[in-house]
Amino acid sequence: MVFSSANSCCSSSFSTSSIKRQEGRLLRKTNVGLAPCAHFFAGPRAFPLKCSNGHLLPMENASGDSSPVEVPIKQYNLSPDQNMTTVSITVVGASGDLAKKKIFPALFALYYEDFLPEHFTVFGYARSELTNEELRNMISKTLTCRIDKRENCSDKMEQFLQRCFYCSGQYDLEEDFKKLDEKLKQKETGRFPNRLFYLSIPSNIFVDVVRCASHCASSPIGWTRVIVEKPFGRDSESSRELTASLKQYLAEDQIFRIDHYLGKELVENLSVLRFSNLVFEPLWSRQYIRNVQLIFSEDFGTEGRGGYFDSYGIIRDIMQNHLLQILALFAMETPVSLDAEDIRNEKVKVLRSMRALEVDDVVIGQYKGHSKGGKSYPSYTDDPTVPSNSITPTFAAAAMFIDNARWDGVPFLVKAGKALHYKGAEIRVQFRHVPGNLYRRNFGTDLDKNTNELVIRVQPNEAIYLKINNKVPGLGMRLDRSNLNLLYAAKYQSEIPDAYERLLLDAIAGERRLFIRSDELDAAWALFTPLLRELEEKHIAPELYPYGSRGPVGAHYLAAKHNVRKYTKAKNTLILQKMEKNW
């Protein structure tokens, strides 16, 4: 049995041609035939929904057609005066850290800013025995009034909590999901039901939950969607096996594989920056760009949470998903439109054009204990949840290449690490030298220090700045390097939404552009699986680096090998501190 799923996808136009483009999608069947979504959306009281690109939802049914499908309303206990829709959001694994710290706060933020539909219910599902009040008390501790409209935040918080309910049960028992289904139906009575399941649980029980929910808790006539958290397998084989297992119960467009980095504001801004500014798109190629760096850095280690990390390592945890997804968005060709499938098609082309990684172009490291300023920092293997002989990398740097006409020969240096000297994530684009530069004598022998560089700082303190050369005021000819900067905190007064807010909103709206398709996943694992197998089969030991340092020395040699100029964080930090102080 496949989940019922009335297809509704964001579109900027509701024309016949835009609907026709979607006719190839899989028809979902329920025990009463095709899901009749449009019939009930059509009423004047149906709530308006927007996805994160600002477009209203088309009113479509499961076949991709906008025309109504007549279904006897009485059969579903609906009356013509109560033809409004409702969305039931079930957080599976509701007692876990991710649910408490990210998912419930994101749902509250959406509710506070009126992005959720008028009628919705939030259910927590987990093995813990909790009452509704205990669940509300638990999640209330993580809800914050950080949003702009603060005057009635406490009232809105109480209203949100009254829509939160709890159901306890095992993850592999259909009887328990039948209990959940009954509770969902009690809240859905008289309205057209749509259901979203967020699997905030370990990946080894994904299939059990999907099986039980499919058989016992899917919406009988509306759409049912499932958000799946990473990791999506450990390699190509396990990833394909997981996808095949999920597809026993789900259609591909019901699976929303979430990578929260794709929901970050500056990642979202990548395509806007490139495709809506004439100054950038002509330069976005091997002709003008010398190298691209994608950097993820944390200034803390695992500290008691190494049990999960040790079975995956930094390559699987960060590089294969977060950074590779950003790389694909950065390097893709111009899509035909902003439709989800058009964007994802271009991302897949990039991934399939990339060379599989080889050991010679990769450096791995693991942080060791270090003392600084009278304070001692532990090594990775000091973590009691990590085996004392572990060789799992906590740092990795890789030179990646895209073998197509736009990027041939341009190194993409991808770096990710824990226990480094700062916390942040950014994209750095180093441009080539100006041919025959008239001012080369003023620069001296090191032209690399004076090439243009575009920096997109994803986190923290989001910013975009372009490094340019200019003349210092005065009678002489002294050149200086300056930043043309966009510091988000200075330019925009509104709060930047959390990535989970954007992704949850899009999942409810049926917008898939920021979620990972199965062929994207296959292409991503194909790049890393041979490398991971070689590292594990040959037991290649990582290079040790001190806690709080810039990482292993080998990473600097790798950068030099591909003519990537060393990035001096300290200088940049001072520049940005001055910018923020002036603001």
Side-chain angles (χ1 to χ4, degrees):
M1 176 181 178
V2 175
F3 272 139
S4 63
S5 175
N7 182 41
S8 57
C9 181
C10 292
S11 172
S12 58
S13 170
F14 303 156
S15 64
T16 303
S17 61
S18 68
I19 298 299
K20 290 294 183 182
R21 286 198 299 269
Q22 302 175 46
E23 286 186 346
R25 293 179 178 171
L26 180 65
L27 298 181
R28 270 80 61 199
K29 293 186 178 182
T30 69
N31 53 353
V32 292
L34 294 174
C37 183
H39 178 67
F40 299 103
F41 271 131
R45 298 175 62 192
F47 62 84
L49 253 187
K50 287 186 178 182
C51 51
S52 66
N53 64 9
H55 294 151
L56 287 169
L57 287 174
M59 310 307 184
E60 298 173 354
N61 58 36
S63 66
D65 182 6
S66 60
S67 59
V69 176
E70 294 293 338
V71 172
I73 295 176
K74 293 181 180 179
Q75 184 176 347
Y76 301 104
N77 198 28
L78 300 174
S79 71
D81 295 329
Q82 294 177 309
N83 63 352
M84 293 182 292
T85 59
T86 184
V87 175
S88 299
I89 303 164
T90 302
V91 181
V92 182
S95 57
D97 280 349
L98 177 65
K100 290 186 288 188
K101 295 177 181 178
K102 290 293 185 181
I103 302 172
F104 287 118
L107 288 170
F108 170 63
L110 291 174
Y111 171 69
Y112 192 92
E113 296 193 347
D114 299 322
F115 277 102
L116 289 183
E118 180 182 354
H119 298 285
F120 75 93
T121 306
V122 177
F123 264 87
Y125 183 94
R127 290 173 295 196
S128 307
E129 293 287 343
L130 297 175
T131 64
N132 291 338
E133 286 305 317
E134 287 172 331
L135 173 74
R136 292 165 185 168
N137 183 58
M138 179 184 73
I139 64 179
S140 66
K141 297 175 182 177
T142 63
L143 304 185
T144 61
C145 298
R146 63 169 181 77
I147 314 164
D148 296 335
K149 312 169 189 174
R150 290 179 171 84
E151 64 277 2
N152 63 338
C153 185
S154 58
D155 293 339
K156 296 285 283 188
M157 189 180 296
E158 183 58 32
Q159 294 167 18
F160 173 77
L161 290 172
Q162 291 305 310
R163 298 195 185 209
C164 296
F165 303 90
Y166 188 76
C167 180
S168 65
Q170 298 298 313
Y171 296 129
D172 58 351
L173 291 181
E174 294 190 6
E175 288 299 318
D176 288 345
F177 277 83
K178 288 180 182 178
K179 291 191 299 181
L180 172 64
D181 182 60
E182 289 302 316
K183 291 187 175 184
L184 291 172
K185 286 178 178 176
Q186 290 173 13
K187 306 301 178 185
E188 295 167 341
T189 301
R191 296 188 175 92
F192 187 89
N194 297 309
R195 294 180 181 178
L196 175 69
F197 290 82
Y198 196 121
L199 304 193
S200 179
I201 50 177
S203 58
N204 63 321
I205 53 177
F206 282 171
V207 178
D208 285 335
V209 170
V210 168
R211 171 180 55 81
C212 293
S214 171
H215 290 161
C216 307
S218 61
S219 174
I221 54 174
W223 55 253
T224 303
R225 299 173 184 142
V226 179
I227 298 178
V228 182
E229 273 280 353
K230 74 175 184 70
F232 313 118
R234 298 187 78 257
D235 52 25
S236 292
E237 184 178 352
S238 59
S239 175
R240 284 194 293 267
E241 183 179 341
L242 175 60
T243 296
S245 298
L246 292 176
K247 286 187 176 181
Q248 294 179 57
Y249 311 103
L250 297 167
E252 171 62 31
D253 59 3
Q254 293 175 268
I255 305 172
F256 287 70
R257 300 175 186 85
I258 192 170
D259 184 333
H260 74 274
Y261 256 67
L262 293 182
K264 289 189 176 292
E265 187 67 36
L266 269 293
V267 176
E268 270 276 76
N269 200 23
L270 261 180
S271 59
V272 177
L273 186 72
R274 177 180 167 189
F275 297 126
S276 69
N277 292 287
L278 184 61
V279 68
F280 288 123
E281 176 56 19
L283 306 179
W284 222 258
S285 71
R286 62 189 296 273
Q287 185 176 356
Y288 298 103
I289 293 177
R290 185 175 58 178
N291 63 71
V292 180
Q293 299 175 64
L294 295 97
I295 304 166
F296 174 94
S297 174
E298 291 181 335
D299 58 1
F300 54 88
T302 56
E303 277 107 24
R305 300 184 301 275
Y308 158 79
F309 183 86
D310 196 68
S311 63
Y312 286 91
I314 197 73
I315 296 176
R316 291 184 176 94
D317 192 46
I318 301 296
M319 192 174 284
Q320 183 271 341
N321 40 71
H322 298 334
L323 295 184
L324 190 62
Q325 284 292 316
I326 295 175
L327 191 158
L329 281 172
F330 177 94
M332 70 181 184
E333 297 295 324
T334 307
V336 174
S337 74
L338 291 177
D339 182 79
E341 296 312 306
D342 290 333
I343 292 173
R344 298 199 293 185
N345 288 342
E346 296 303 329
K347 287 169 61 185
V348 172
K349 289 178 185 177
V350 171
L351 296 176
R352 288 178 175 169
S353 299
M354 296 180 71
R355 298 180 205 168
L357 281 166
E358 298 181 358
V359 172
D360 289 344
D361 278 328
V362 176
V363 172
I364 58 172
Q366 184 186 98
Y367 66 87
K368 63 181 180 179
H370 179 59
S371 296
K372 184 178 181 180
K375 185 176 180 180
S376 296
Y377 298 90
S379 69
Y380 174 67
T381 52
D382 287 337
D383 188 324
T385 62
V386 173
S388 58
N389 61 346
S390 173
I391 58 172
T392 298
T394 60
F395 176 97
M400 307 188 75
F401 294 88
I402 304 172
D403 293 329
N404 63 16
R406 182 183 290 270
W407 298 112
D408 186 31
V410 176
F412 285 77
L413 191 65
V414 182
K415 296 191 291 185
K418 288 182 173 290
L420 297 175
H421 65 301
Y422 78 104
K423 179 181 179 180
E426 60 191 16
I427 306 166
R428 305 184 70 87
V429 184
Q430 292 183 355
F431 293 92
R432 297 191 181 278
H433 303 145
V434 175
N437 195 325
L438 293 173
Y439 295 96
R440 57 186 177 275
R441 292 182 180 178
N442 301 84
F443 292 136
T445 57
D446 191 357
L447 289 177
D448 285 352
K449 289 184 178 179
N450 298 282
T451 54
N452 301 125
E453 188 172 30
L454 174 67
V455 181
I456 302 170
R457 190 170 61 179
V458 177
Q459 68 177 25
N461 302 322
E462 295 84 351
I464 301 172
Y465 54 96
L466 178 65
K467 295 185 177 182
I468 63 167
N469 301 308
N470 67 287
K471 179 185 175 297
V472 177
L475 296 178
M477 180 55 71
R478 188 161 62 92
L479 301 187
D480 188 23
R481 229 176 155 208
S482 302
N483 289 337
L484 299 178
N485 62 74
L486 166 60
L487 184 64
Y488 271 54
K491 173 67 175 176
Y492 304 109
Q493 301 304 310
S494 60
E495 187 80 25
I496 294 177
D498 185 79
Y500 282 91
E501 296 171 32
R502 175 174 285 109
L503 294 167
L504 277 164
L505 175 62
D506 280 0
I508 293 170
E511 169 59 68
R512 297 171 178 83
R513 65 198 169 90
L514 298 180
F515 295 89
I516 302 169
R517 206 167 60 190
S518 60
D519 56 345
E520 281 186 72
L521 197 57
D522 288 343
W525 276 120
L527 296 172
F528 284 91
T529 296
L531 168 71
L532 291 166
R533 286 180 179 166
E534 186 172 357
L535 291 175
E536 291 167 358
E537 289 172 0
K538 294 182 178 179
H539 299 283
I540 297 176
E543 179 186 342
L544 298 180
Y545 62 94
Y547 193 117
S549 68
R550 296 179 180 274
V553 175
H556 304 300
Y557 286 112
L558 179 66
K561 174 183 174 182
H562 295 286
N563 197 26
V564 177
R565 183 170 61 83
K566 182 179 177 181
Y567 165 46
T568 305
K569 177 65 185 176
K571 181 179 179 182
N572 183 61
T573 300
L574 291 174
I575 292 171
L576 292 170
Q577 285 175 348
K578 289 179 181 178
M579 289 161 50
E580 292 165 4
K581 184 177 180 181
N582 291 336
W583 167 65

